[in-house]
Amino acid sequence: MTTIPLNFQKNGLRFDYQPNVQNPVWKGSLDSIAFDNEGIKSKLLNLELPCYFVRKQGQLGVTNEGYLVEPNNDKSEIIDTITAVPPLVPQQLGDPSFQTFHGVKYAYAAGAMANGIASEELVITLGKEKILSSFGAAGLVPERIEKAIHRIQEALPNAPYAFNLIHSPSENAIEQGAVNLYLKYGVTTVEASAFLNLTTNIVYYRAAGLSLNCENQIEIKNKIIAKISRVEVATKFLQPAPEKFLKLLVSQGLITQLQAKLAAQVPMADDITVEADSGGHTDNRSLVCLLPSILRLRDEIQEKYNYKTSVRIGAAGGIGTPQSTLAAFIMGAAYVVTGSVNQSCIEAGASVHTKNLLAQADMTDVMMAPAADMFEMGVKLQVLKRGTLFPMRSQKLFEFYKAYNSIDEIPKIDREELEKQVFRKSLDEVWQDTVAYFSQRDPEQITRADNNPKRKMALIFRWYLGLSSRWSNFGELGREMDYQIWCSPAIGAFNNWVKGSYLAEPNNRRVVDVADHIMTGAAYLYRLQNLKLQGICMPVQYWQYYPKFNN
């Protein structure tokens, strides 16, 4: 008999035993014991109550009722007590400080998906259930972001939400404009993504929210969740803001001397999401390799700076099932972040056609394709290849960009093919559309391209790369084969998991249900793992958690 933990208590649930009692005995109603497979699994799924394992006449049974007492050694017991496990609810998974800091019920968040795929409706729906979600602001014009801020803040005056801040190395005005909007309207949590280095913009956001409270302690108003996939980038967010940026911001009158001083004492991020093999921008890293490396790096930097609160490290990329979620938590993740699985949900800002394609995808139905925002740098992102020609067509554009210095150098036959099959209009017309677009968004882009034919070619190609994701979101008729759909193998794993359940149908997929089932399933599997460590190996049929209505 293994030793059972003593006096476990969390989230108002209590599991008591007598101290110093070896081999305690279960007492309770025999009618509460389940001996059949269905009944035993039902008891195991009752995560808010303890599970007692007993044996009656050689048959294993499980109950959530009764209590443990000291054995009386009278040999009259008709029930043998095997072991017991305490309550284990989804709220117990991960780092509880994540829940406290962000005011959420789970160590779980829905990550940003650009162009408003992580829509206002998605953020609001999750926020009302105290689940953190980040609005997909990347790729949107300032007016659209401003509209989203107003709607989300009105709907969630006291509930959690975040906004994406994407690094824009080719369009600094866009990044700067987003920061100015967030500061203007009091957006106090941003999810920073695709950063290759720190910029004055993100340092400004961080430092502008620092102050001292009445107890002379540093108050952090502007929270940053940094999404990273490289050690060198993680290092920058784990350290305080660079002095050169702080001095510049002080000289420009954007922050005070006090704020600069405080910024030198806190890390750039409160949370760092380790992004493995994810949809969209990704380095296709393995989570089991990357997460331990970043955890160790965090510990080394924490030892150096001795922050009052250590930076939490979360996991993203490939999170789409209870098993992957539990694996991340067991490896040490403070929280998990989902992405691709949410895009197939009702609340996501994607078209019905796109959601149907996602609901049919397998793990192998993805590939890498050129990214619109970092096209010239050769940066790629992960997209769906099933049901669309976008990955192949966009790769062809990048090959032309590498091979030629201007549109005029492209052979006539290839140019005609591009105009007919890809752009469906002349390249001159595409350029006029591009000028009109950037004249409102970032006029400097056009100025820089006027005397640079290769840059002009890049902007023309980016017209297709940029619009293809919007066609997918809005369901542009006739352009289905050009839809750019960001996703990772997680969508295939999710589809395999929910096959045969109500979540198999995209019309039934709701983001709150997905979050609840993923976290509940992870807690259930964790309970089985705890039993396994005590020598109770449940049969294979118990190791599957299937989503059910009103579970």
Side-chain angles (χ1 to χ4, degrees):
M1 175 68 66
T2 56
T3 302
I4 303 174
L6 299 179
N7 301 321
F8 176 86
Q9 184 175 11
K10 188 166 184 177
N11 298 321
L13 303 172
R14 190 170 181 85
F15 192 36
D16 293 318
Y17 337 158
Q18 295 293 326
N20 303 319
V21 174
Q22 298 297 318
N23 303 326
V25 173
W26 175 83
K27 292 290 185 180
S29 170
L30 298 183
D31 293 336
S32 70
I33 304 174
F35 292 98
D36 61 297
N37 288 337
E38 184 176 347
I40 290 176
K41 189 166 186 178
S42 177
K43 303 293 184 183
L44 289 168
L45 282 167
N46 198 342
L47 300 173
E48 294 186 354
L49 294 176
C51 273
Y52 302 97
F53 280 71
V54 298
R55 184 166 46 225
K56 179 182 179 183
Q57 297 178 350
Q59 188 177 11
L60 183 70
V62 179
T63 178
N64 300 126
E65 301 178 18
Y67 53 93
L68 296 176
V69 298
E70 188 173 357
N72 58 19
N73 298 318
D74 62 3
K75 307 295 184 181
S76 63
E77 302 289 346
I78 62 172
I79 294 290
D80 293 327
T81 304
I82 308 300
T83 191
V85 289
L88 181 57
V89 292
Q91 291 87 338
Q92 292 172 234
L93 299 175
D95 189 335
S97 70
F98 180 87
Q99 294 153 268
T100 302
F101 187 75
H102 294 287
V104 295
K105 70 175 182 179
Y106 293 147
Y108 175 107
M113 292 174 283
N115 288 338
I117 296 174
S119 64
E120 293 99 326
E121 184 180 1
L122 187 147
V123 173
I124 291 168
T125 301
L126 287 168
K128 287 182 176 180
E129 294 298 320
K130 297 295 182 183
I131 300 173
L132 183 64
S133 179
S134 180
F135 177 75
L140 300 179
V141 297
E143 293 77 11
R144 175 71 178 84
I145 298 174
E146 189 172 17
K147 181 180 178 181
I149 292 173
H150 291 317
R151 182 180 172 191
I152 291 172
Q153 288 184 335
E154 181 179 356
L156 302 175
N158 300 304
Y161 68 88
F163 271 72
N164 182 225
L165 175 63
I166 192 166
H167 179 41
S168 303
S170 301
E171 301 176 69
N172 181 66
I174 299 301
E175 184 182 315
Q176 185 178 32
V179 167
N180 289 338
L181 280 176
Y182 297 157
L183 292 175
K184 177 180 179 180
Y185 292 108
V187 173
T188 57
T189 305
V190 300
E191 183 186 40
S193 60
F195 276 79
L196 303 174
N197 207 336
L198 296 180
T199 65
T200 54
N201 300 316
I202 194 168
V203 173
Y204 174 35
Y205 176 82
R206 182 65 162 176
L210 298 176
S211 63
L212 289 174
N213 62 19
C214 58
E215 298 178 353
N216 208 37
Q217 296 176 329
I218 299 177
E219 289 283 347
I220 300 176
K221 178 183 177 183
N222 295 339
K223 307 168 185 175
I224 292 178
I225 304 172
K227 189 183 293 183
I228 62 92
S229 58
R230 301 184 182 186
V231 171
E232 61 271 22
V233 178
T235 301
K236 299 177 188 300
F237 281 101
L238 286 165
Q239 294 177 334
E243 184 179 1
K244 63 178 182 179
F245 289 147
L246 297 173
K247 286 184 176 180
L248 177 62
L249 292 168
V250 170
S251 69
Q252 294 175 337
L254 295 175
I255 65 173
T256 66
Q257 287 282 4
L258 175 61
Q259 287 172 327
K261 179 181 178 181
L262 299 179
Q265 302 175 52
V266 297
M268 271 298 299
D270 305 288
D271 302 278
I272 287 183
T273 303
V274 174
E275 186 178 30
D277 191 13
S278 64
H281 292 95
T282 180
D283 285 326
N284 304 111
R285 302 291 176 86
S286 167
L287 186 63
V288 296
C289 298
L290 185 59
L291 180 59
S293 298
I294 302 300
L295 285 168
R296 180 175 180 178
L297 175 67
R298 185 275 311 272
D299 294 342
E300 291 173 351
I301 294 179
Q302 173 63 23
E303 186 175 356
K304 176 181 178 180
Y305 289 98
N306 194 29
Y307 301 126
K308 180 181 177 182
T309 301
S310 180
V311 178
R312 288 173 293 271
I313 307 297
I319 305 296
T321 63
Q323 289 87 346
S324 58
T325 300
L326 179 57
F329 283 130
I330 289 179
M331 281 195 295
Y335 59 96
V336 295
V337 178
T338 55
S340 297
V341 299
N342 300 319
Q343 188 176 187
S344 66
C345 292
I346 293 173
E347 299 88 350
S351 66
V352 172
H353 182 78
T354 292
K355 292 174 182 177
N356 287 335
L357 286 179
L358 287 167
Q360 299 166 18
D362 206 340
M363 288 181 287
T364 56
D365 290 331
V366 295
M367 68 179 293
M368 301 300 291
D373 57 343
M374 301 182 189
F375 178 75
E376 299 93 318
M377 301 168 63
V379 173
K380 294 188 176 184
L381 38 70
Q382 192 157 216
V383 297
L384 185 70
K385 67 178 179 181
R386 181 189 182 112
T388 173
L389 292 175
F390 168 80
M392 288 67 76
R393 288 176 172 174
S394 61
Q395 181 59 35
K396 189 68 174 178
L397 293 179
F398 186 67
E399 290 172 1
F400 282 140
Y401 177 75
K402 290 193 300 180
Y404 304 109
N405 292 313
S406 71
I407 288 291
D408 294 334
E409 290 186 11
I410 299 176
K412 182 179 179 180
I413 187 172
D414 290 328
R415 177 168 176 163
E416 290 176 349
E417 183 178 342
L418 286 177
E419 292 177 331
K420 182 179 179 180
Q421 296 184 3
V422 180
F423 293 98
R424 298 190 188 179
K425 59 172 62 179
S426 72
L427 296 185
D428 290 335
E429 290 177 299
V430 173
W431 176 242
Q432 293 307 313
D433 290 347
T434 302
V435 170
Y437 173 75
F438 279 109
S439 294
Q440 294 183 343
R441 180 184 175 95
D442 188 2
E444 184 184 349
Q445 296 292 324
I446 303 302
T447 302
R448 292 165 58 188
D450 281 340
N451 298 313
N452 188 334
K454 193 170 184 70
R455 181 160 185 79
K456 178 179 178 179
M457 178 171 57
L459 292 182
I460 289 175
F461 289 168
R462 284 171 60 185
W463 176 92
Y464 173 76
L465 299 177
L467 284 179
S468 56
S469 62
R470 290 173 173 80
W471 294 333
S472 169
N473 295 349
F474 294 106
E476 185 77 15
L477 295 178
R479 279 290 192 174
E480 289 85 355
M481 296 308 292
D482 292 294
Y483 283 7
Q484 178 182 179
I485 305 170
W486 303 311
C487 72
S488 76
I491 189 65
F494 178 84
N495 290 335
N496 290 336
W497 167 48
V498 302
K499 186 177 181 180
S501 77
Y502 80 100
L503 287 180
E505 291 296 324
N507 289 337
N508 291 332
R509 294 184 180 182
R510 299 184 181 276
V511 285
V512 172
D513 283 3
V514 169
D516 286 341
H517 282 303
I518 286 177
M519 291 295 287
T520 299
Y524 169 72
L525 294 176
Y526 199 7
R527 167 169 272 186
L528 296 189
Q529 288 287 356
N530 286 340
L531 286 168
K532 189 175 182 180
L533 291 174
Q534 297 186 51
I536 306 294
C537 296
M538 304 303 296
V540 65
Q541 63 263 33
Y542 290 93
W543 285 89
Q544 295 298 323
Y545 172 86
Y546 294 108
K548 296 180 181 178
F549 280 115
N550 301 319
N551 190 66

